[in-house]
Every structure is written in structure tokens, then in C-alpha cells.
């Protein structure tokens, strides 16, 4: 399959620990060795949120905050590239064209943010649509899509399956300011809806969960189904 894996920054590098990055690289390399074509997108995580919070206090506007977040996602991307060694394109792709060209060369592209006002959730969905991926996997810090934020609402209910239109409805009121922390945002959901790409949202703190989801469809999370 052609698979795009979106790894949240809070999953890949919560404390800039090299072991977690190395484990993700090993997981991606195992899928690569199984013959799957891969693209990856990396988020900014807590490091980006710290920079954004400090810059907001200093008076930066939302677009400036987005640009700061993009820079951090690309730093995280460089960590993953270092761990993937010669299997990855040498620098983070800064456009969808650059990412697709890396795939055509046989490299694994690593993307961070692309443009302001667009999260890496949306980047992953758009890139998956652009390269006509068979599967999009969101490796997040929560175990799927919920009807509320499970970190703040103990009554939040997880969806095991949800169709793309329902996903859009569930998160339509989600805030979209820089540094927001959600498994999948509204723009990503709309791109998933129009593209019809099969999508899985899972707890990515163990990268082997991504491998199992790709290889045999075994995962504990939410499957976003194309609309009938």
C-alpha cells in the first residue's frame, strides 16, 4: 500500500528523547522493508506550544505564531530524518510537490507544516490525497476520535468507527488557533471527507501500533470510513 503516517509532535518528541524518535524510525523502516510506499508528516508537539505561548505573550499575531510552529515541526522532522538515515529525503519537504518527488525517487519524505493557518493534521490529509494514498494513519497522544476532549472531559466517548461526514460534524466547533491540540482538526476532516481515503486515528505512543495497523488492520482506535 501507499501509506501516509502523521506523527504528532507530542508522540514523536515529547521530551526530545532520542529513543522515541529511533523507535519510530525503526517502525517506519519495517513497513518500508515490507514493500509499502511511505510518506510521513511530523507535528510540533509541546515544544511548538511552548514557543507559541511565549510568542503570544510577546504580542505575535496568529500568522506569526503559525510560522513559528511550522519551524518547530521541521526541526522535529530533522530528528526523524536523522534516525531514518539514507531511507529518508535529506531535508523536510516544504511543499507537497517536493514530498511527492521524494516518493517517486524511492525516498521516504518527511513533511512538517507547509503554510500558515494549516495544521499538520491538514497537511497529512492533503498530502495523502495528493499522492493518492491507500491509507492515512494519525498517530496521536489519544486513542482515537472522541465526542469531546478526553483529557479534560471524563465523560468523553470514543468512536470505534465514524464516517467522514460525521467526523466533520463532531469537530465542527473545534478551535483552530495556533497551537491547538486535537487528534484531527476540521480542515483535515473536510479533506478526508472529499478524498474518501481510509483513515485510522490511534494512540501512537507505541510505534508498533502503527505497524500493526498497516500490516494487518489490527488497531485500537477510530477508523474513519469513506461516505457511502
Amino acid at each position: 500500500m501507499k501509506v501516509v503516517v502523521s506523527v504528532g509532535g507530542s508522540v514523536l518528541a515529547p521530551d526530545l528523547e532520542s529513543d522515541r524518535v529511533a523507535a519510530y524510525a525503526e517502525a517506519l523502516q519495517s513497513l518500508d522493508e515490507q514493500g509499502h510506499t511511505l510518506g510521513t508528516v511530523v507535528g510540533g508537539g509541546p515544544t511548538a506550544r511552548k514557543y507559541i505561548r511565549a510568542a503570544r505573550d510577546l504580542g505575535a499575531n496568529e500568522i506569526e505564531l503559525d510560522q513559528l510552529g511550522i519551524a518547530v515541526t521541521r526541526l522535529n522532522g530533522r530528528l526523524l530524518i536523522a534516525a531514518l538515515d539514507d531511507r529518508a529525503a535529506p531535508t523536510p519537504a516544504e511543499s507537497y510537490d517536493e514530498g511527492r518527488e521524494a516518493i517517486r525517487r524511492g525516498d521516504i519524505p518527511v513533511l512538517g507544516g507547509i503554510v500558515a493557518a494549516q495544521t499538520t493534521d491538514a497537511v497529512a490529509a492533503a498530502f495523502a490525497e495528493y499522492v493518492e494514498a491507500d491509507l492515512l494513519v494519525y498517530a496521536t497522544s489519544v486513542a482515537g476520535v472522541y465526542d469531546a476532549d478526553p483529557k479534560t472531559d471524563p465523560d468523553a466517548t470514543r468512536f470505534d468507527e465514524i464516517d467522514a461526514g460525521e467526523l466533520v460534524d463532531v469537530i465542527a466547533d473545534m478551535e483552530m488557533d495556533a497551537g491547538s491540540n486535537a487528534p484531527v482538526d476540521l480542515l483535515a476532516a473536510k479533506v478526508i471527507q472529499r478524498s474518501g481515503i481510509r483513515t485510522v486515528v490511534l494512540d501512537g505512543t507505541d510505534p508498533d501500533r502503527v505497524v500493526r495497523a498497516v500490516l494487518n488492520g489490527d488497531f485500537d482506535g477510530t477508523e474513519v470510513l469513506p461516505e457511502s
Side-chain angles (χ1 to χ4, degrees):
M1 291 191 297
K2 185 179 291 181
V3 184
V4 171
V5 179
S6 176
V7 187
S10 58
V11 170
L12 180 71
D15 301 305
L16 294 180
E17 295 176 355
S18 59
D19 288 350
R20 178 71 68 87
V21 179
Y24 251 97
E26 184 177 347
L28 294 170
Q29 286 171 328
S30 71
L31 292 174
D32 178 57
E33 291 167 359
Q34 291 285 332
H36 296 285
T37 299
L38 299 176
T40 59
V41 180
V42 176
T47 303
R49 285 190 284 276
K50 288 178 182 177
Y51 273 93
I52 288 168
R53 185 165 54 248
R56 183 177 279 123
D57 290 343
L58 294 168
N61 63 45
E62 288 295 311
I63 296 299
E64 291 171 324
L65 299 178
D66 286 336
Q67 291 169 333
L68 186 60
I70 288 170
V72 176
T73 66
R74 291 175 181 171
L75 284 175
N76 286 344
R78 285 185 178 274
L79 289 177
L80 184 57
I81 287 169
L84 286 168
D85 198 17
D86 60 358
R87 285 304 300 122
T91 58
E94 298 187 7
S95 70
Y96 299 116
D97 284 340
E98 191 177 336
R100 185 171 66 175
E101 286 305 310
I103 286 178
R104 289 176 173 175
R105 291 194 308 269
D107 293 335
I108 300 173
V110 178
L111 289 74
I114 297 295
V115 295
Q118 185 183 76
T119 68
T120 51
D121 291 347
V123 170
F127 188 57
E129 183 178 43
Y130 191 46
V131 300
E132 300 180 329
D134 301 296
L135 177 65
L136 169 60
V137 179
Y138 285 99
T140 75
S141 58
V142 294
V145 176
Y146 290 75
D147 61 359
D149 186 349
K151 294 183 177 179
T152 59
D153 185 348
D155 296 322
T157 301
R158 191 184 75 185
F159 298 93
D160 293 331
E161 288 186 353
I162 188 171
D163 76 38
E166 291 172 331
L167 176 66
V168 171
D169 292 339
V170 165
I171 63 174
D173 295 329
M174 190 175 296
E175 68 177 8
M176 294 288 291
D177 61 345
S180 61
N181 185 21
V184 180
D185 69 21
L186 183 58
L187 179 56
K190 286 179 175 287
V191 175
I192 291 167
Q193 181 184 27
R194 78 176 184 185
S195 67
I197 294 172
R198 179 172 169 258
T199 303
V200 168
V201 182
L202 50 76
D203 180 348
T205 51
D206 179 357
D208 285 340
R209 293 172 184 154
V210 174
V211 176
R212 293 194 297 270
V214 173
L215 293 183
N216 54 33
D218 176 20
F219 66 93
D220 182 26
T222 301
E223 181 172 6
V224 182
L225 303 171
E227 294 178 297
S228 57

